[in-house]
Amino acid sequence: MVTDGFLTDGFLSNPAFLQQVIDAAPIVISVKDRDGRYVLCNQYSAERHGLAPSDFLGKTVSEIFKSQAENTFRDEITAIDTHVIATGMQIPFFEETIFVKNEERRMMTSKTPLTDESGETTFVLTIAIDISERKDMEAALIIAKEEAELANRTKSDFLANMSHELRTPLNSIIGFAQILSTGIFGPLGDRRYTEYAADIMHSGEHLLSVIGDVLDISKIEAGEATIVDRELNIGEILADSVAMIHERAQAKSLNINMIVADGLPDLVADARYLKQILINLLANSVKFTPAGGNIDIHANIDTDGCMSISVKDTGIGITAADISRVLEPFGQVLTNPTLAQEGAGLGLSLSKRLTELHAGGLSIESTPGVGTTVTAQFSASRIVPPTV
């Protein structure tokens, strides 16, 4: 019969059925009385020690586990059982137990007091779950994580060292190419030599820029990048950044509009890194905006009280699926021939990392064929309060 969702007779009045239930559970289940004698033990618990459940009934821990190696186990279990009976408190704990065949297992154990009809604590229920495999998996994951971090540090150190090694000879190549292209020591003769020297210089400058980005990414990943905070006028920083890409924008007949909110306060940031963030964002917009397009730069205090600097263009845009990819180092969208452009694909990733160094964030909103808006947000704590 079922009353209020519970069985009132039948199975629950059958001790053999209840024993089947606890024997089916793949966890340790046992009950001891006030004298520490087992009154119940399931099959799983007994098998862990190479015994039958009947071997436990009426016996104490000391009577069952007699070997010298089990001294510590007996003493600890008896002490915990005694404490549970005395206090009526549940005690969860982690233990390492030697089971049959000297197999060491790690168990998550709980000791719970059980009361009789009068409410007196009379029994101790032990439930233990074997978490050995989970602990082994956690240890393996920790080792894998440490190995991955070491590999990443090694890669970053290698890139940083190689970048330094490449920059020195590359600066010499650029310098000599500049001398040849400008004819400082006299004409070269055929005009093609001058053109080739100019090509060498421009290619060298581009390669030097890429190497610089790689070096900055390496420093950030190695935890070696530090910021030098100063109070910066955002209007001046934006103007300097626009000037750096003006020639490239002019070559594509792009219109650049700079909109700075009235009374915008100064921002505490690293001037070099802030310019690098903005130049990267602007250069990216110039690269992916067709001739005659528009680029708008907005700087204002947003509704969260943070300072936001956004670069909005009328370029080719990025699909939602590709946004996360372009924010990763070397993350050019190479699967899209329209987006696969010259460069190492470090601009957006580097800007994101540099913004995060300032405890800020970088976000992208984009619609293919319409344009892209990239916003660097800096927390209110970096905004210089107005003077009274």
Side-chain angles (χ1 to χ4, degrees):
M1 180 178 68
V2 178
T3 303
D4 294 332
F6 294 91
L7 288 168
T8 57
D9 55 17
F11 290 126
L12 290 186
S13 63
N14 185 342
F17 174 76
L18 293 177
Q19 186 66 44
Q20 286 185 61
V21 171
I22 65 169
D23 282 342
I27 60 176
V28 170
I29 301 175
S30 66
V31 178
K32 301 188 197 79
D33 62 18
R34 292 179 65 88
D35 298 324
R37 297 190 179 280
Y38 284 94
V39 297
L40 183 145
C41 179
N42 73 335
Q43 190 74 30
Y44 181 92
S45 178
E47 287 177 351
R48 298 309 92 188
H49 298 284
L51 301 170
S54 58
D55 295 328
F56 283 79
L57 300 182
K59 296 178 182 177
T60 65
V61 173
S62 298
E63 291 171 335
I64 296 173
F65 308 110
K66 300 177 181 179
S67 72
Q68 188 70 24
E70 293 168 328
N71 277 341
T72 302
F73 172 76
R74 289 196 307 267
D75 294 343
E76 289 179 352
I77 294 301
T78 300
I80 295 172
D81 289 342
T82 301
H83 185 73
V84 171
I85 289 288
T87 63
M89 295 175 57
Q90 182 186 54
I91 300 179
F93 60 97
F94 171 78
E95 63 177 330
E96 293 186 354
T97 304
I98 303 295
F99 285 139
V100 69
K101 299 178 182 178
N102 290 323
E103 183 183 16
E104 184 177 290
R105 309 297 293 177
R106 282 149 289 179
M107 311 294 291
M108 184 60 69
T109 304
S110 176
K111 297 276 189 179
T112 304
L114 301 178
T115 59
D116 57 19
E117 294 83 353
S118 65
E120 183 181 1
T121 301
T122 310
F123 302 98
V124 176
L125 167 65
T126 299
I127 295 178
I129 302 173
D130 191 336
I131 58 171
S132 301
E133 282 72 22
R134 190 179 77 185
K135 286 292 184 180
D136 290 342
M137 187 178 298
E138 288 176 358
L141 287 173
I142 290 172
I143 292 172
K145 177 176 177 290
E146 290 173 348
E147 290 176 347
E149 289 174 347
L150 176 61
N152 191 51
R153 286 195 300 272
T154 302
K155 176 209 68 178
S156 297
D157 291 342
F158 171 77
L159 289 175
N161 291 333
M162 286 303 298
S163 297
H164 281 300
E165 291 294 326
L166 289 170
R167 290 176 82 167
T168 301
L170 191 55
N171 279 319
S172 298
I173 292 171
I174 293 171
F176 287 127
Q178 188 174 26
I179 290 172
L180 293 173
S181 64
T182 55
I184 291 177
F185 300 121
L188 294 175
D190 194 305
R191 63 176 179 79
R192 286 175 294 182
Y193 291 138
T194 303
E195 293 174 358
Y196 295 157
D199 289 341
I200 292 171
M201 183 182 69
H202 293 315
S203 296
E205 288 173 344
H206 171 70
L207 183 55
L208 187 62
S209 174
V210 171
I211 290 172
D213 286 348
V214 171
L215 181 59
D216 285 330
I217 284 285
S218 301
K219 283 182 178 179
I220 293 171
E221 290 188 343
E224 296 175 358
T226 57
I227 60 175
V228 180
D229 283 333
R230 287 172 45 201
E231 294 185 6
L232 304 174
N233 181 291
I234 297 304
E236 294 176 0
I237 294 291
L238 287 178
D240 289 345
S241 302
V242 170
M244 293 291 290
I245 57 93
H246 177 72
E247 187 175 335
R248 278 176 278 176
Q250 195 173 44
K252 296 179 70 175
S253 300
L254 300 177
N255 301 308
I256 299 181
N257 306 302
M258 192 173 75
I259 305 162
V260 179
D262 292 337
L264 188 70
D266 289 350
L267 181 71
V268 177
D270 185 297
R272 184 175 75 88
Y273 283 157
L274 184 57
K275 283 183 181 179
Q276 192 168 3
I277 292 168
L278 297 173
I279 290 170
N280 285 345
L281 299 186
L282 288 165
N284 226 49
S285 287
V286 169
K287 183 190 295 185
F288 294 110
T289 300
N294 296 309
I295 299 173
D296 295 332
I297 310 157
H298 294 264
N300 62 282
I301 303 299
D302 60 27
T303 54
D304 295 330
C306 302
M307 182 176 292
S308 290
I309 303 174
S310 62
V311 177
K312 180 180 181 181
D313 61 50
T314 56
I316 58 180
I318 311 168
T319 65
D322 287 330
I323 286 178
S324 61
R325 186 178 298 126
V326 299
L327 288 173
E328 292 300 316
F330 311 101
Q332 283 193 346
V333 187
L334 298 178
T335 55
N336 187 332
T338 309
L339 295 177
Q341 298 281 336
E342 180 187 68
L346 285 170
L348 286 173
S349 173
L350 182 56
S351 295
K352 178 176 180 288
R353 302 292 183 90
L354 292 176
T355 305
E356 290 170 348
L357 268 183
H358 289 79
L362 187 138
S363 60
I364 299 178
E365 295 180 5
S366 186
T367 303
V370 177
T372 301
T373 300
V374 184
T375 302
Q377 188 184 59
F378 301 89
S379 71
S381 63
R382 286 192 162 270
I383 297 174
V384 179
T387 55
V388 179

